[in-house]
Amino acid sequence: MTLAVIGLGFVGLPFALVAAKSGQKVIGVEADKKKYDTIRNGKVPFYEPKLENFLKETKDKTFEVTNDINYAVSNSDIIFLCVNTPENEDSSVNLTYLKTAAAQIGKSIKKGNNEFPVIVVKSTVPPQTTESLVKNTLEEFSLKKVGEEFGLAMVPEFMREGSAVNDIQNPHLVVIGTNDDKTDDRLTSLFESIYQNSKPPTLHTSIVNSELIKYVNNAFLATKISFINTIANICNNIPGANVETIAEAIGRDPRIGKLFLNAGPGYGGSCFPKDLSDFVNYSKSIGYNPLLLESTQQVNQTQPKKIIEIITKKSGELHGKQIAVLGISFKKDTDDIRQSPSIKIIHQLLELGANVKTHDPKALPNLKKIFSDKLVYCTDIAKCLKDTDLCVILTDWDEYQSLSADDFIKNMNEPRVFDTRRIINPEKMLTVDYFALGYGN
Ligand code: UDX
């Protein structure tokens, strides 16, 4: 079987390369000229561990990249739609790329000879999009009938940035959402072949359930984070309280589970904020106001302000202070700064008149595009800490874990550290004015 993967972004490229590495023949399509040229030259346009090696190993063997969607579709049996579904200014979801790609696929399958091509939506889309917008566009442009002349499915992707390759190679579950048996059989055998080694469980369901599973999964995880952030904010006002101990204890209850209970400056990235907002809007549009999900969003939106409030309470007036911010990306192991709480916090620090120095192992080039000369950018942690009055740790990069009290004492005017991720062991910081989110006083 040959696969086409339309859209080689954070989801499409890792998926395409994992499939290619497993031995499938994959044709990846990227319309953006700069990204296409980068991939063609054997480079990954964003930072994602392991991905560049996968590209080197598969390129021009099982993986081919093109900017010609018609060529890719005409030569494929299964076509994965992995295009971006970004947010419009009014926070509605922008389905233009999806519609354009579906129209192009429709035109190609109209004249193509491939017997029963299967089109799979992998982009995250509001419920009912696949069976309305995607199906209608495909039928309109191909003049063919879904379920008879081509197959349609929705297969959500649960991978996380920073561990995309591992997550795609070892999924906790494969969800195949389709309304016809032929498509289900095709996809079942494809995934059996990709996942020969990991053999994940597979759930076969309808298209609309598949779309919902993705939104609900993200909504639950985001709610878990806003829940523990709420508890951390409460703990901050209780002498002796420790959110880590509480999370560890409740996480041992199998009904709760220990993952996604790390309090911090709030969730960011391209998925949780956008998907929650789309899901809330969708729910309202069909007549239900999802109060719980709105609260999840509100807690997240106010968390950066909470961080500023805690800093101000401890350090006083921030005007004229020299502040070192460690960690810009929305989480470790990525250079992605979309919706990163660090960006919101830096904006607020600047508004309050602080001077900000920043460090991040990967994200500084992206940060410069937003703040240009308003910040000092340091590739070295010690240089970032040098002559500052306060250090705020915002991202959970491994390199911050190994910082010692001496690193702060040696370099800072006043060794004062606010650790929003509790990444440093407080026992090591007894000689420093160390405080952390979720540690009462
Ligand atoms: C998420 C989902 O996990 C993934 O299944 C989906 O496919 C895409 O969206 P991603 O955005 O890459 O993945 O990262 P994730 O690891 O989920 O973290 C999202 C945000 O939540 C980050 O800002 C992270 O720092 C934050 N987070 C996560 C916490 O603050 N605490 C936690 O315990 C976990």
Side-chain angles (χ1 to χ4, degrees):
M1 266 190 278
T2 301
L3 316 182
V5 177
I6 318 291
L8 297 177
F10 291 97
V11 171
L13 188 58
F15 173 71
L17 296 180
V18 166
K21 185 87 191 305
S22 78
Q24 310 300 317
K25 187 166 179 324
V26 181
I27 308 175
V29 184
E30 179 51 61
D32 179 288
K33 171 139 182 25
K34 206 167 152 204
K35 284 189 197 154
Y36 165 68
D37 284 339
T38 307
I39 298 167
R40 211 162 47 111
N41 291 327
K43 297 261 178 251
V44 172
F46 47 90
Y47 175 70
E48 179 63 50
K50 294 189 180 175
L51 209 53
E52 206 142 289
N53 281 344
F54 270 51
L55 181 58
K56 285 200 180 89
E57 284 171 37
T58 56
K59 197 168 148 292
D60 304 327
K61 293 177 193 114
T62 47
F63 177 70
E64 177 188 353
V65 61
T66 177
N67 52 12
D68 182 349
I69 189 167
N70 179 45
Y71 162 78
V73 174
S74 314
N75 288 287
S76 301
D77 309 289
I78 303 183
I79 298 126
F80 286 89
L81 268 165
C82 298
V83 293
N84 205 359
T85 50
E87 204 159 54
N88 289 318
E89 295 226 324
D90 64 355
S91 90
S92 61
V93 54
N94 180 346
L95 298 171
T96 320
Y97 301 119
L98 192 74
K99 188 167 180 187
T100 306
Q104 287 168 321
I105 295 170
K107 283 184 203 159
S108 301
I109 60 175
K110 180 183 174 197
K111 48 184 189 224
N113 302 323
N114 25 12
E115 193 258 322
F116 201 76
V118 169
I119 292 94
V120 184
V121 174
K122 221 177 201 327
S123 308
T124 301
V125 291
Q128 299 177 305
T129 302
T130 307
E131 285 174 280
S132 53
L133 180 119
V134 178
K135 184 196 92 158
N136 294 345
T137 310
L138 286 168
E139 287 189 335
E140 181 190 337
F141 285 87
S142 68
L143 302 178
K144 293 188 174 174
K145 211 79 208 102
V146 72
E148 291 170 20
E149 291 155 290
F150 69 91
L152 183 63
M154 202 280 161
V155 172
E157 178 55 65
F158 301 104
M159 69 91 187
R160 295 158 300 169
E161 286 177 37
S163 53
V165 169
N166 282 349
D167 287 354
I168 296 176
Q169 279 186 314
N170 304 289
H172 62 275
L173 177 71
V174 174
V175 176
I176 300 179
T178 181
N179 301 343
D180 74 86
D181 291 344
K182 197 165 168 184
T183 299
D184 191 51
D185 288 348
R186 284 275 197 94
L187 291 175
T188 304
S189 75
L190 170 71
F191 288 119
E192 272 169 11
S193 149
I194 295 180
Y195 295 127
Q196 285 163 41
N197 299 328
S198 54
K199 294 194 172 48
T202 303
L203 179 87
H204 302 266
T205 185
S206 64
I207 288 179
V208 74
N209 275 340
S210 253
E211 293 169 326
L212 274 161
I213 286 166
K214 171 69 187 186
Y215 270 129
V216 174
N217 207 92
N218 278 352
F220 189 83
L221 292 173
T223 302
K224 234 178 151 182
I225 298 170
S226 280
F227 172 83
I228 201 67
N229 285 345
T230 300
I231 304 305
N233 297 343
I234 295 173
C235 286
N236 256 84
N237 293 342
I238 306 173
N242 184 330
V243 74
E244 288 288 311
T245 312
I246 293 164
E248 158 81 21
I250 64 166
R252 280 174 188 248
D253 183 331
R255 292 168 298 178
I256 296 176
K258 64 180 179 180
L259 299 176
F260 277 67
L261 285 178
N262 293 315
Y267 57 77
S270 67
C271 289
F272 286 167
K274 181 179 93 67
D275 292 355
L276 254 274
S277 153
D278 292 350
F279 196 27
V280 167
N281 290 341
Y282 174 79
S283 176
K284 284 182 179 170
S285 78
I286 54 160
Y288 180 69
N289 193 5
L291 294 177
L292 176 66
L293 303 185
E294 285 198 313
S295 297
T296 296
Q297 289 182 297
Q298 276 163 19
V299 170
N300 200 58
Q301 280 151 6
T302 49
Q303 195 64 1
K305 277 201 202 104
K306 185 74 204 163
I307 302 295
I308 297 284
E309 193 187 301
I310 298 172
I311 296 172
T312 314
K313 201 166 154 197
K314 186 83 181 174
S315 304
E317 193 53 31
L318 296 181
H319 193 271
K321 287 242 160 66
Q322 308 295 322
I323 300 185
V325 170
L326 301 188
I328 302 299
S329 55
F330 80 101
K331 57 187 260 188
K332 69 174 178 176
D333 293 335
T334 176
D335 62 356
D336 194 348
I337 60 170
R338 288 176 294 170
Q339 299 289 329
S340 172
S342 303
I343 307 298
K344 293 178 195 150
I345 290 166
I346 292 173
H347 273 300
Q348 291 180 29
L349 291 173
L350 292 178
E351 268 166 34
L352 291 166
N355 301 309
V356 181
K357 293 172 85 178
T358 55
H359 172 271
D360 189 281
K362 297 285 174 198
L364 293 185
N366 287 335
L367 185 68
K368 279 183 195 162
K369 290 181 203 157
I370 299 181
F371 289 99
S372 57
D373 60 356
K374 291 197 186 107
L375 308 174
V376 176
Y377 305 91
C378 308
T379 47
D380 181 88
I381 301 179
K383 282 199 183 122
C384 186
L385 295 176
K386 194 88 198 136
D387 302 330
T388 54
D389 308 306
L390 171 72
C391 166
V392 188
I393 302 175
L394 293 177
T395 311
D396 51 345
W397 285 100
D398 290 345
E399 33 274 83
Y400 303 148
Q401 205 164 10
S402 51
L403 287 170
S404 67
D406 256 9
D407 292 315
F408 298 105
I409 294 167
K410 250 184 352 216
N411 291 299
M412 296 179 70
N413 293 338
E414 261 183 87
R416 176 172 286 168
V417 181
F418 182 38
D419 185 353
T420 68
R421 303 270 189 170
R422 295 160 314 285
I423 195 165
I424 304 182
N425 180 352
E427 308 266 303
K428 289 196 317 189
M429 302 295 280
L430 298 176
T431 50
V432 169
D433 184 5
Y434 173 84
F435 56 118
L437 180 72
Y439 291 166
N441 291 343

